[in-house]
Amino acid sequence: MAARWKGKTAEAKALAEPMSTIVYRLQSSLIESNSQGILSGSSVLLAAHEEQTELFIHACFGRPVITTEKNKQWFQLCLEEAFYLCTVMKCIKIVELWDYMSSKRVNFPILYKAYSHLRTKNWVVRAGSQYGVDFVAYRHHPALVHSEYAVIASSAEEGNENGRLKVWSDFHCTLRLCGSVAKTLLVLHISRNYNDCDGASSSPWNINYYSVEERIVARWNPEQSRENCTVAEKESCKSS
């Protein structure tokens, strides 16, 4: 499915400043300032100066928090965002992050692996609860383009705790919803390689031993059935 850009100039703006360039600038700025996050409930708070504020917004990490402080802007990062910045981009520091996040979010290792899999491919990943999925993925900034994928993280680990897509009626309802908002359903099936991993799921480094299989799920379109094709199409089928 082609990108659905928002406005005539949106694609040109995106090509002029790729998401990978914006993220790299944010990473360099956070490393230079030795940024440290503060655990707060089921999220992480991070202070940002003026330049970093613009980079956070353009890179689509976190959400700005309204405060009375004039010279400092705070950003609220979800658990997947904070752990990605800490362990993959290595540009922020958070103490005892893995144990804390695992205790706050059911199935956090699986959700994080799905998030990081897409982010490392320069997709912008945002929460997808409004569509009944785990995430939605954008080709560039959401101000420029509509999200293309509705993403569900699936795993056989610990009985597949998300509990979705177990029966065909779940697939049918999810596909109908995705179709109504012009999104493609992307199921990321995540499994652990026990031959390489020591089996201790409590360690953040064991995430490297999880593999991701991408599966695009689409509805069958009866209009494309061979039995419904025209006479001319049938003759073409016979001759081919």
Side-chain angles (χ1 to χ4, degrees), residues 21-43:
T21 301
I22 300 173
V23 171
Y24 176 76
R25 289 171 55 199
L26 174 62
Q27 178 187 32
S28 299
S29 180
L30 292 174
I31 292 175
E32 184 179 353
S33 62
N34 194 29
S35 298
Q36 297 190 15
I38 301 173
L39 292 167
S40 177
S42 295
S43 60

mmCIF file of all heavy atoms in Angstrom, residues 21-43:
data_model
loop_
_atom_site.group_PDB
_atom_site.id
_atom_site.type_symbol
_atom_site.label_atom_id
_atom_site.label_comp_id
_atom_site.label_asym_id
_atom_site.label_seq_id
_atom_site.Cartn_x
_atom_site.Cartn_y
_atom_site.Cartn_z
ATOM 1 N N THR A 21 17.595 10.752 9.815
ATOM 2 C CA THR A 21 18.424 11.925 10.101
ATOM 3 C C THR A 21 17.944 12.628 11.367
ATOM 4 O O THR A 21 18.754 13.038 12.214
ATOM 5 C CB THR A 21 18.379 12.909 8.915
ATOM 6 O OG1 THR A 21 18.863 12.248 7.741
ATOM 7 C CG2 THR A 21 19.228 14.135 9.195
ATOM 8 N N ILE A 22 16.640 12.759 11.512
ATOM 9 C CA ILE A 22 16.075 13.419 12.696
ATOM 10 C C ILE A 22 16.409 12.634 13.953
ATOM 11 O O ILE A 22 16.820 13.197 14.976
ATOM 12 C CB ILE A 22 14.551 13.568 12.544
ATOM 13 C CG1 ILE A 22 14.208 14.397 11.307
ATOM 14 C CG2 ILE A 22 13.948 14.212 13.787
ATOM 15 C CD1 ILE A 22 12.726 14.446 10.986
ATOM 16 N N VAL A 23 16.261 11.308 13.887
ATOM 17 C CA VAL A 23 16.536 10.459 15.050
ATOM 18 C C VAL A 23 18.013 10.517 15.416
ATOM 19 O O VAL A 23 18.378 10.541 16.609
ATOM 20 C CB VAL A 23 16.084 9.009 14.767
ATOM 21 C CG1 VAL A 23 16.550 8.072 15.877
ATOM 22 C CG2 VAL A 23 14.575 8.941 14.620
ATOM 23 N N TYR A 24 18.887 10.550 14.424
ATOM 24 C CA TYR A 24 20.323 10.634 14.695
ATOM 25 C C TYR A 24 20.665 11.940 15.411
ATOM 26 O O TYR A 24 21.485 11.961 16.344
ATOM 27 C CB TYR A 24 21.112 10.518 13.398
ATOM 28 C CG TYR A 24 22.606 10.688 13.590
ATOM 29 C CD1 TYR A 24 23.379 9.659 14.132
ATOM 30 C CD2 TYR A 24 23.232 11.890 13.262
ATOM 31 C CE1 TYR A 24 24.740 9.815 14.323
ATOM 32 C CE2 TYR A 24 24.594 12.055 13.451
ATOM 33 C CZ TYR A 24 25.340 11.022 13.982
ATOM 34 O OH TYR A 24 26.680 11.189 14.186
ATOM 35 N N ARG A 25 20.058 13.042 15.000
ATOM 36 C CA ARG A 25 20.299 14.333 15.655
ATOM 37 C C ARG A 25 19.819 14.301 17.096
ATOM 38 O O ARG A 25 20.486 14.837 18.003
ATOM 39 C CB ARG A 25 19.600 15.446 14.887
ATOM 40 C CG ARG A 25 20.242 15.763 13.527
ATOM 41 C CD ARG A 25 19.385 16.713 12.736
ATOM 42 N NE ARG A 25 19.091 17.931 13.487
ATOM 43 C CZ ARG A 25 18.082 18.759 13.189
ATOM 44 N NH1 ARG A 25 17.277 18.485 12.174
ATOM 45 N NH2 ARG A 25 17.897 19.848 13.920
ATOM 46 N N LEU A 26 18.681 13.679 17.341
ATOM 47 C CA LEU A 26 18.180 13.552 18.709
ATOM 48 C C LEU A 26 19.125 12.703 19.547
ATOM 49 O O LEU A 26 19.459 13.058 20.685
ATOM 50 C CB LEU A 26 16.786 12.924 18.696
ATOM 51 C CG LEU A 26 16.179 12.598 20.066
ATOM 52 C CD1 LEU A 26 15.984 13.863 20.898
ATOM 53 C CD2 LEU A 26 14.864 11.847 19.917
ATOM 54 N N GLN A 27 19.576 11.601 18.991
ATOM 55 C CA GLN A 27 20.500 10.721 19.702
ATOM 56 C C GLN A 27 21.778 11.464 20.100
ATOM 57 O O GLN A 27 22.226 11.382 21.251
ATOM 58 C CB GLN A 27 20.841 9.525 18.810
ATOM 59 C CG GLN A 27 21.832 8.554 19.437
ATOM 60 C CD GLN A 27 22.267 7.483 18.449
ATOM 61 O OE1 GLN A 27 22.352 7.725 17.248
ATOM 62 N NE2 GLN A 27 22.549 6.286 18.950
ATOM 63 N N SER A 28 22.362 12.219 19.181
ATOM 64 C CA SER A 28 23.596 12.955 19.451
ATOM 65 C C SER A 28 23.385 14.003 20.538
ATOM 66 O O SER A 28 24.232 14.180 21.430
ATOM 67 C CB SER A 28 24.092 13.627 18.170
ATOM 68 O OG SER A 28 24.364 12.674 17.168
ATOM 69 N N SER A 29 22.240 14.678 20.488
ATOM 70 C CA SER A 29 21.956 15.723 21.474
ATOM 71 C C SER A 29 21.772 15.139 22.868
ATOM 72 O O SER A 29 22.277 15.687 23.857
ATOM 73 C CB SER A 29 20.705 16.494 21.053
ATOM 74 O OG SER A 29 20.407 17.501 21.992
ATOM 75 N N LEU A 30 21.076 14.017 22.972
ATOM 76 C CA LEU A 30 20.843 13.391 24.278
ATOM 77 C C LEU A 30 22.144 12.845 24.869
ATOM 78 O O LEU A 30 22.366 12.936 26.081
ATOM 79 C CB LEU A 30 19.806 12.276 24.144
ATOM 80 C CG LEU A 30 18.380 12.714 23.820
ATOM 81 C CD1 LEU A 30 17.487 11.508 23.573
ATOM 82 C CD2 LEU A 30 17.800 13.573 24.950
ATOM 83 N N ILE A 31 22.998 12.279 24.036
ATOM 84 C CA ILE A 31 24.296 11.775 24.522
ATOM 85 C C ILE A 31 25.150 12.926 25.028
ATOM 86 O O ILE A 31 25.787 12.843 26.087
ATOM 87 C CB ILE A 31 25.021 11.008 23.396
ATOM 88 C CG1 ILE A 31 24.282 9.719 23.074
ATOM 89 C CG2 ILE A 31 26.466 10.710 23.803
ATOM 90 C CD1 ILE A 31 24.857 8.955 21.898
ATOM 91 N N GLU A 32 25.176 14.020 24.279
ATOM 92 C CA GLU A 32 25.984 15.183 24.662
ATOM 93 C C GLU A 32 25.543 15.774 25.992
ATOM 94 O O GLU A 32 26.370 16.227 26.792
ATOM 95 C CB GLU A 32 25.900 16.238 23.558
ATOM 96 C CG GLU A 32 26.778 17.460 23.809
ATOM 97 C CD GLU A 32 26.698 18.476 22.688
ATOM 98 O OE1 GLU A 32 26.068 18.172 21.648
ATOM 99 O OE2 GLU A 32 27.272 19.567 22.836
ATOM 100 N N SER A 33 24.232 15.760 26.248
ATOM 101 C CA SER A 33 23.715 16.351 27.488
ATOM 102 C C SER A 33 23.627 15.360 28.639
ATOM 103 O O SER A 33 23.168 15.707 29.728
ATOM 104 C CB SER A 33 22.326 16.953 27.239
ATOM 105 O OG SER A 33 21.410 15.944 26.838
ATOM 106 N N ASN A 34 24.051 14.092 28.391
ATOM 107 C CA ASN A 34 24.038 13.068 29.442
ATOM 108 C C ASN A 34 22.654 12.961 30.087
ATOM 109 O O ASN A 34 22.499 13.004 31.311
ATOM 110 C CB ASN A 34 25.093 13.375 30.507
ATOM 111 C CG ASN A 34 25.347 12.183 31.414
ATOM 112 O OD1 ASN A 34 25.192 11.029 31.014
ATOM 113 N ND2 ASN A 34 25.728 12.452 32.656
ATOM 114 N N SER A 35 21.642 12.804 29.270
ATOM 115 C CA SER A 35 20.250 12.823 29.738
ATOM 116 C C SER A 35 19.920 11.603 30.592
ATOM 117 O O SER A 35 20.352 10.486 30.305
ATOM 118 C CB SER A 35 19.301 12.863 28.535
ATOM 119 O OG SER A 35 19.500 14.042 27.786
ATOM 120 N N GLN A 36 19.129 11.844 31.653
ATOM 121 C CA GLN A 36 18.704 10.770 32.547
ATOM 122 C C GLN A 36 17.198 10.850 32.743
ATOM 123 O O GLN A 36 16.643 11.914 33.015
ATOM 124 C CB GLN A 36 19.413 10.862 33.896
ATOM 125 C CG GLN A 36 20.922 10.680 33.792
ATOM 126 C CD GLN A 36 21.569 10.532 35.154
ATOM 127 O OE1 GLN A 36 20.899 10.290 36.143
ATOM 128 N NE2 GLN A 36 22.888 10.662 35.192
ATOM 129 N N GLY A 37 16.540 9.707 32.590
ATOM 130 C CA GLY A 37 15.095 9.643 32.743
ATOM 131 C C GLY A 37 14.695 9.347 34.179
ATOM 132 O O GLY A 37 15.460 8.764 34.951
ATOM 133 N N ILE A 38 13.470 9.738 34.512
ATOM 134 C CA ILE A 38 12.925 9.514 35.851
ATOM 135 C C ILE A 38 11.712 8.600 35.725
ATOM 136 O O ILE A 38 10.755 8.907 35.000
ATOM 137 C CB ILE A 38 12.506 10.839 36.512
ATOM 138 C CG1 ILE A 38 13.702 11.786 36.613
ATOM 139 C CG2 ILE A 38 11.899 10.583 37.893
ATOM 140 C CD1 ILE A 38 13.329 13.176 37.106
ATOM 141 N N LEU A 39 11.736 7.461 36.412
ATOM 142 C CA LEU A 39 10.612 6.543 36.389
ATOM 143 C C LEU A 39 9.414 7.171 37.089
ATOM 144 O O LEU A 39 9.521 7.691 38.193
ATOM 145 C CB LEU A 39 10.990 5.233 37.074
ATOM 146 C CG LEU A 39 12.041 4.391 36.338
ATOM 147 C CD1 LEU A 39 12.561 3.288 37.239
ATOM 148 C CD2 LEU A 39 11.462 3.803 35.073
ATOM 149 N N SER A 40 8.247 7.115 36.443
ATOM 150 C CA SER A 40 7.039 7.702 36.997
ATOM 151 C C SER A 40 5.843 6.857 36.591
ATOM 152 O O SER A 40 5.341 6.964 35.468
ATOM 153 C CB SER A 40 6.860 9.147 36.498
ATOM 154 O OG SER A 40 5.643 9.706 36.969
ATOM 155 N N GLY A 41 5.399 5.987 37.505
ATOM 156 C CA GLY A 41 4.286 5.109 37.180
ATOM 157 C C GLY A 41 4.640 4.183 36.039
ATOM 158 O O GLY A 41 5.659 3.507 36.058
ATOM 159 N N SER A 42 3.808 4.188 34.996
ATOM 160 C CA SER A 42 4.056 3.339 33.826
ATOM 161 C C SER A 42 4.674 4.115 32.677
ATOM 162 O O SER A 42 4.447 3.818 31.503
ATOM 163 C CB SER A 42 2.745 2.689 33.366
ATOM 164 O OG SER A 42 2.250 1.810 34.352
ATOM 165 N N SER A 43 5.471 5.118 33.006
ATOM 166 C CA SER A 43 6.136 5.920 31.985
ATOM 167 C C SER A 43 7.449 6.459 32.542
ATOM 168 O O SER A 43 7.789 6.232 33.706
ATOM 169 C CB SER A 43 5.241 7.083 31.535
ATOM 170 O OG SER A 43 4.941 7.936 32.627
#
